[in-house]
Amino acid sequence: MTDHYAVFGNPIKHSKSPLIHKAFAQQTHQDLDYRSVLVAEDGFSEAVDNFLSTDGDGKGLNITVPFKVEAWEKAERHSPRAKLAGAVNTLYRNAEGQLCGDNTDGLGLVADITRNNGGEIEAKELLILGAGGAVRGVLEPILAHRPARLVIANRTVARAEALAELFSDVGHIDVCSFEELQGQQFDLVINGTAASLQGEVPLLPDDLLREGAWCYDMMYAAQITPFNHWAEAHGAAKAIDGLGMLVEQAAESFAIWRGIRPDTSELIQELRYQLLAK
């Protein structure tokens, strides 16, 4: 019997998840179906119950905006990283029938930086821009790689301070405003703000990047993102967007569900070609 999977969101038409997971299934010879489902904003809990009923063939769900926090609240068990992230992008039932939640976003980010691009986090000085849910979701895997220093800069410093407190048992995080970045330099700068979606970049010092520094934008687009455009103009040795993170977090979800981690390199290249062809 074919196992069924889906991604729930609203909106959902833009999702590349069905294409990604169908490619993974073909590569790993798994008998499964994966589709995107537009879920009414007041109908999430019922939709999950119906899809992942204990006697049905629905085996797992990916969750995207605006339901990641609601998915976290609905899950009966959380992985340690999901517990800290306060958001869930992967749901499934365990052998006891409990609804389990995980968050693979941070694993995807770290895999794209280290495995796909040959970058390093350990012993490097890192700056993350933004203190919203996207940043909270990736902090635990980043801290697990033991950077020499991690700074969160945000327009509202109190939000960054709340994250530093929340993750204090995992690792130390310094916080500051964008203005307080003056005079500081970093080896890796990660943009976790939504500013790129509006074509904007936070006001950053011209000398923020240490020689050889990398920049990473968690957003992706067919053309270079505004943040990565800033990075290249300010001497970044490498500027990467979030397309690889998208594929890698999907591969982590697939591995949780199916017990096998697909290869991602060719699919990332294929998706890049598709973006550029539009």
Side-chain angles (χ1 to χ4, degrees):
M1 185 180 293
T2 300
D3 292 334
H4 292 273
Y5 297 84
V7 56
F8 282 6
N10 188 341
I12 199 63
K13 188 168 63 174
H14 66 286
S15 177
K16 298 189 182 302
S17 293
L19 184 155
I20 292 171
H21 282 278
K22 285 173 184 174
F24 288 164
Q26 187 173 16
Q27 179 196 128
T28 58
H29 309 291
Q30 303 285 303
D31 182 12
L32 63 85
D33 174 70
Y34 190 109
R35 57 197 172 96
S36 59
V37 178
L38 179 68
V39 176
E41 294 205 16
D42 61 352
F44 176 75
S45 182
E46 182 181 0
V48 171
D49 290 339
N50 290 339
F51 192 89
L52 293 179
S53 60
T54 52
D55 58 351
D57 52 10
K59 300 299 183 184
L61 287 168
N62 284 134
I63 310 299
T64 187
V65 292
F67 300 119
K68 288 185 177 183
V69 174
E70 194 172 347
W72 187 91
E73 293 168 347
K74 187 170 179 61
E76 298 165 276
R77 294 181 66 89
H78 302 86
S79 69
R81 58 178 172 260
K83 193 174 292 185
L84 279 169
V88 155
N89 74 343
T90 305
L91 286 172
Y92 62 98
R93 291 197 184 276
N94 62 14
E96 291 74 43
Q98 295 171 305
L99 186 65
C100 300
D102 209 329
N103 190 312
T104 64
D105 287 333
L107 295 177
L109 170 66
V110 167
D112 194 36
I113 292 171
T114 59
R115 187 182 306 135
N116 295 338
N117 289 283
E120 295 180 354
I121 294 173
E122 185 175 356
K124 299 296 184 180
E125 294 198 45
L126 267 64
L127 169 66
I128 300 182
L129 306 174
V135 169
R136 180 176 173 179
V138 302
L139 286 176
E140 191 273 343
I142 288 174
L143 286 166
H145 276 251
R146 303 191 303 278
R149 184 179 180 225
L150 177 59
V151 177
I152 297 178
N154 196 52
R155 188 169 283 109
T156 307
V157 177
R159 292 191 70 180
E161 289 173 339
L163 287 184
E165 175 64 26
L166 184 65
F167 285 84
S168 60
D169 289 342
V170 184
H172 179 74
I173 300 174
D174 292 324
V175 304
C176 68
S177 66
F178 294 133
E179 292 77 16
E180 291 169 327
L181 288 170
Q182 199 70 46
Q184 301 190 60
Q185 287 192 319
F186 297 91
D187 302 303
L188 173 61
V189 180
I190 298 172
N191 179 35
T193 72
S196 276
L197 295 176
Q198 284 82 48
E200 301 169 0
V201 179
L203 195 59
L204 303 170
D206 289 337
D207 58 352
L208 185 67
L209 304 180
R210 185 168 285 132
E211 186 176 352
W214 286 22
C215 288
Y216 193 102
D217 196 340
M218 289 168 64
M219 308 296 169
Y220 71 91
Q223 307 304 320
I224 185 170
T225 66
F227 173 71
N228 281 349
H229 191 273
W230 176 92
E232 291 186 353
H234 288 80
K238 195 160 192 171
I240 309 162
D241 73 10
L243 184 64
M245 174 182 171
L246 172 74
V247 177
E248 294 295 344
Q249 63 81 24
E252 295 291 345
S253 293
F254 191 91
I256 289 168
W257 295 328
R258 308 300 295 185
I260 182 170
R261 197 185 192 285
D263 179 71
T264 56
S265 53
E266 289 186 9
L267 183 56
I268 293 170
Q269 287 184 337
E270 183 181 329
L271 288 173
R272 180 71 66 194
Y273 293 145
Q274 289 181 15
L275 277 176
L276 294 172
K278 285 186 178 179

